[in-house]
Every structure is written in structure tokens, then in C-alpha cells.
Amino acid sequence: MMPRLVPLALAAGLLSAVLHLSTEWSLLAAVVFSLAAPLPLFAAGLGLGLRGALIGAVAAVLVVGVVGGLPRAGLYAATDALLVLGLVRFALLNRTDAEGGTEWYPAGLLLTWLTLYCAVAFVVLALALGTGPDGLQAGISGYVDGFRQVVAGANRDNPALGSMFATLKRVFPFLVVTWWIIIMAANAVMAQKLLVRTGNALRPSPNLAATEVPGWLLPVTVAAAAVALVLSGWFGFVATNIALILCVPYFLTGLAVIHAVSVRWNGRVAILFAIYLLLVLFGWPLFVVTGLGMVEHWIGLRRRHAASSSGNERKE
């Protein structure tokens, strides 16, 4: 593998850099191609190993720096390269179980570390921009107000819209971070699927429907929520968004539970479509799914429906 590792890793890094820089070309590129920037690095890491991911990441950061400048390279390193390297490192960890088989690092922990990294990155950004009137909150408020002027038009003084945009200002970081967590997870899953289908994956694909969040994350989430309820101002703003970000693994776990237990349902596709439609149109179903993910550790709905799904690694 060594003779082909370096050129393949460099090619992956170059492709990732080009996808990231595609935001400079057109709105379509910014919306579509740039979101796939982590995909080549994940493919290099999960197919060539951590060394391949590291070579690709370094090459990509250098290309982004030369073309887009040092700040752009720093942004790419923080949001793509370092995150991919960390996830690849954990994803390739394995150990021998009691029966002599190979036990791979679980998807639930990978999702948890991804979430924690994004939460810490948000805190670092908030601290870097300062707690004063010109800090992160001020920037978000100005951005949302501008968006409101464009979208609301003549109805911009509507009290209901005012309340909605006030809430948006408070949870805007959570929405952005959640979007990025989903994008990173989707790129990792797609890279793994491509590698499995081509026979180049270094590890089997995890059973995503069996994803479990580690038990220690719940008290951390509850503590963050308690702090958010007590504090106000900048500290309350930060604590609120941290608590919401830490709920993301539970929301995705709740979706995994729904998919697992719906295997035997008649009209499953239509029901799942209706559930996702409710999640998009209304806010309260999000809390229900998140709560389901939180209590799954104790109620074990997926274990009760184990006969409906594979208990081993999923076949691609």
C-alpha cells in the first residue's frame, strides 16, 4: 500500500481543497460542492489509514492557504481537516473481544466526539469574539435583522415574527453547528459506503440503527441545560447553545430508534416520510425524538425489536 498511499492521499487533499474553495466560484458550488469537502479526506483516512488522512489534510490546508489566504486555511483546518483526522483516528481503533473477534470503535462514541468538538469550537469562537457589545451575539443579531428585513418585508413589525426572530438570534449557533455535525457525519458515512463497495475499507461499516450514546453525556447535557436556565446575558446564551448542541446525538439516536422499530410496520416508507415532514414543519416533534433518544438506554426499544434488524455489521 505504501507506494500508492502518498499520491492517493495527495490527490484526496487536493480534491478536498478544491471543493472547499468552490465557494469562490458560484452560489451552486457553495451550496453543493463545498459541503462535500470532507469526503475525500474521510475516504483517504478510512481507506488508507490515519497517515493517508494526515498527508491529505496537510496538502489540503496548504492549497487552501495559498489560494484563499491564511484565515481561510485556518477555517478549513478547524472545520474540516482536524475534525476528519480525529474521527478517522477513533474510527480505526479496534480490540479483540472475549470471543476472539474484532470489536471496532462504536458509532455512538464517534458521534459524541464529533458533537463535543463542535461544542468546544463554538465556545472558543465565542470567547475569541469577546463578551462585549461587539461580540458574537452582536454579529448574529445584525445578521438575523438583515435577514428579517429581506424575508419579512412589509410584515417585519409583526409581533409573532419578532418573537420568532428573537428566538432565532438566541439559538443561531446551535442551528449552524447542528448543520455542520450532520454534514460531517453524512460525509463520513458516504466515504465508508464507497470504500466498502470498492473493497478498500479498513473497517466494517457500523450498524447505524444500533447507535448508542455513552451514558456520561446525559449528565453533562443536563448540567449545561441547568446552567442555561440560571444564567442570562452572554453566559446564558453560550450555555443555551451548548445544551442544545449536546442534544444532537440524542436526536439522531431517536431517529435510529424510529427506523429500527419501524421495520415491521405496514406502510413504513409513508409513515417515515410523515414523521420527517412533521419534524420539518413543526418544532415540538424534535423534542419528542430527542427525548426518545435520551430514554432509549433504559427502555431498550431496539433491543426488543432486535429480531427485525441485523445485530451484526450491516451488509453494504
Side-chain angles (χ1 to χ4, degrees):
M1 178 180 290
M2 195 60 190
R4 69 188 184 109
L5 184 149
V6 174
L8 287 176
L10 290 175
L14 177 60
L15 178 57
S16 179
V18 170
L19 290 171
H20 176 78
L21 292 168
S22 65
T23 55
E24 304 290 336
W25 306 331
S26 68
L27 178 61
L28 176 64
V31 173
V32 180
F33 298 123
S34 64
L35 298 180
L39 180 61
L41 293 185
F42 274 123
L46 297 174
L48 299 173
L50 183 59
R51 183 179 300 177
L54 180 60
I55 294 173
V58 171
V61 170
L62 291 176
V63 171
V64 172
V66 170
V67 177
L70 188 59
R72 188 68 179 267
L75 174 65
Y76 173 83
T79 59
D80 289 74
L82 290 176
L83 195 44
V84 170
L85 288 174
L87 290 176
V88 166
R89 188 262 178 184
F90 283 118
L92 296 180
L93 291 178
N94 62 82
R95 64 186 181 186
T96 302
D97 58 25
E99 299 177 355
T102 301
E103 182 181 2
W104 292 89
Y105 205 78
L109 275 173
L110 290 173
L111 176 60
T112 299
W113 291 125
L114 169 60
T115 302
L116 290 174
Y117 177 94
C118 292
V120 171
F122 158 66
V123 174
V124 171
L125 177 63
L127 289 172
L129 294 178
T131 62
D134 298 325
L136 179 60
Q137 279 183 286
I140 291 174
S141 180
Y143 176 82
V144 173
D145 285 339
F147 180 73
R148 179 181 178 181
Q149 294 292 329
V150 173
V151 174
N155 295 320
R156 57 181 176 268
D157 295 327
N158 184 288
L161 282 176
S163 177
M164 182 186 73
F165 280 103
T167 301
L168 179 60
K169 291 179 183 180
R170 187 161 180 80
V171 302
F172 190 81
F174 155 69
L175 298 176
V176 173
V177 170
T178 298
W179 173 247
W180 193 241
I181 290 173
I182 293 173
I183 291 301
M184 293 299 293
N187 276 282
V189 171
M190 286 189 291
Q192 177 66 11
K193 284 182 177 292
L194 290 173
L195 291 169
V196 168
R197 289 177 180 175
T198 58
N200 294 305
L202 295 180
R203 63 158 289 168
S205 296
N207 183 358
L208 298 180
T211 299
E212 292 188 8
V213 180
W216 53 261
L217 183 62
L218 186 57
V220 175
T221 305
V222 172
V227 172
L229 291 174
V230 172
L231 298 181
S232 59
W234 184 87
F235 291 99
F237 165 75
V238 171
T240 296
N241 283 278
I242 290 176
L244 290 172
I245 291 169
L246 294 180
C247 286
V248 173
Y250 293 108
F251 172 73
L252 296 178
T253 300
L255 289 180
V257 172
I258 293 173
H259 277 264
V261 302
S262 65
V263 170
R264 293 180 176 177
W265 293 353
N266 294 325
R268 178 175 184 258
V269 174
I271 295 174
L272 290 176
F273 176 80
I275 291 173
Y276 278 98
L277 186 62
L278 287 172
L279 292 173
V280 172
L281 296 179
F282 303 99
W284 61 265
L286 299 172
F287 296 100
V288 175
V289 175
T290 301
L292 177 61
M294 288 182 172
V295 301
E296 166 62 9
H297 178 74
W298 292 282
I299 62 178
L301 284 176
R302 285 175 295 182
R303 291 192 295 271
R304 299 178 188 180
H305 293 76
S308 301
S309 60
S310 172
N312 301 317
E313 296 293 345
R314 182 167 50 188
K315 305 298 182 182
E316 299 293 334

